[in-house]
Amino acid sequence: MAAWNIIDHTELTGTATTYTKSSIPSSYEHLYFLVSARNNTSSIDINNTFYFNNSTAADYSYTTLFTQLTGTTISAGVSNAQSHIIGVYSAGSTVFNDTFAVTEIWIPNYSNTSNWKQAVIKNVVPNDSTSDYNRRVMNVAGLWQSTAAINRIDLVASSGSFMAESTFTLYGINGA
């Protein structure tokens, strides 16, 4: 049976431009990072910057599959030699009041020093609008091309700030 342990839970009482969790213990098999975020930028959604161990070198790559719910369009893409992984969107201030984007990030084998690190990201930006491009559903397969054990996670607002009541919860998982 899997054991889920909360490593960190942060709920903002004001605004912040960055969430950082450092000194992540290596005693778990996997990490699971859950983000519920709203941003004060006047936009539908904001693609935030996500990276490991304070490394912003061009050693990340990712594959995306997403729709902005136009009713007919699904998009995909591949990017290599990036300085971060995409897919951690926050809801902008133009979405329905009190609406937060939700992101789940699964990071298997994060402390293994024999292979590169993977991240599987699922993100939803809900909105009550029926207009095209006013909602987002996204899946991302990310890769950090490093064998270093992950001991730090950074999430940086690409514009504006994360708003009060945004939450960031990091779990360590064993036996999954």
Side-chain angles (χ1 to χ4, degrees):
M1 178 193 262
W4 291 59
N5 300 284
I6 296 175
I7 296 171
D8 182 64
H9 175 77
T10 300
E11 180 174 341
L12 298 181
T13 56
T15 60
T17 57
T18 303
Y19 167 84
T20 297
K21 176 56 184 162
S22 58
S23 302
I24 297 172
S26 61
S27 56
Y28 302 102
E29 294 172 18
H30 315 292
L31 296 176
Y32 179 80
F33 186 37
L34 183 61
V35 178
S36 175
R38 185 171 173 91
N39 188 292
N40 60 7
T41 300
S42 180
S43 177
I44 299 297
D45 54 20
I46 292 82
N47 185 15
N48 302 295
T49 302
F50 177 66
Y51 50 90
F52 302 118
N53 291 8
N54 205 27
S55 173
T56 57
D59 52 6
Y60 297 91
S61 58
Y62 46 83
T63 301
T64 61
L65 177 64
F66 71 95
T67 179
Q68 290 181 314
L69 301 182
T70 63
T72 59
T73 304
I74 295 177
S75 302
V78 175
S79 292
N80 294 305
Q82 300 296 310
S83 63
H84 62 280
I85 298 174
I86 70 165
V88 186
Y89 281 83
S90 52
S93 63
T94 60
V95 300
F96 190 67
N97 288 338
D98 299 325
T99 300
F100 289 72
V102 177
T103 305
E104 298 177 344
I105 306 169
W106 178 259
I107 308 166
N109 305 307
Y110 75 102
S111 62
N112 183 321
T113 57
S114 298
N115 26 325
W116 292 350
K117 305 306 176 283
Q118 304 166 37
V120 179
I121 302 170
K122 294 188 279 183
N123 175 265
V124 175
V125 180
N127 196 2
D128 70 338
S129 172
T130 58
S131 299
D132 287 349
Y133 303 105
N134 279 305
R135 302 163 306 289
R136 175 185 296 275
V137 176
M138 183 172 217
N139 290 298
V140 176
L143 182 67
W144 181 37
Q145 298 171 29
S146 174
T147 58
I150 295 172
N151 59 28
R152 176 179 168 151
I153 291 176
D154 288 280
L155 180 60
V156 180
S158 296
S159 65
S161 300
F162 299 115
M163 295 175 66
E165 299 179 8
S166 293
T167 60
F168 310 89
T169 307
L170 180 64
Y171 296 88
I173 303 169
N174 282 321

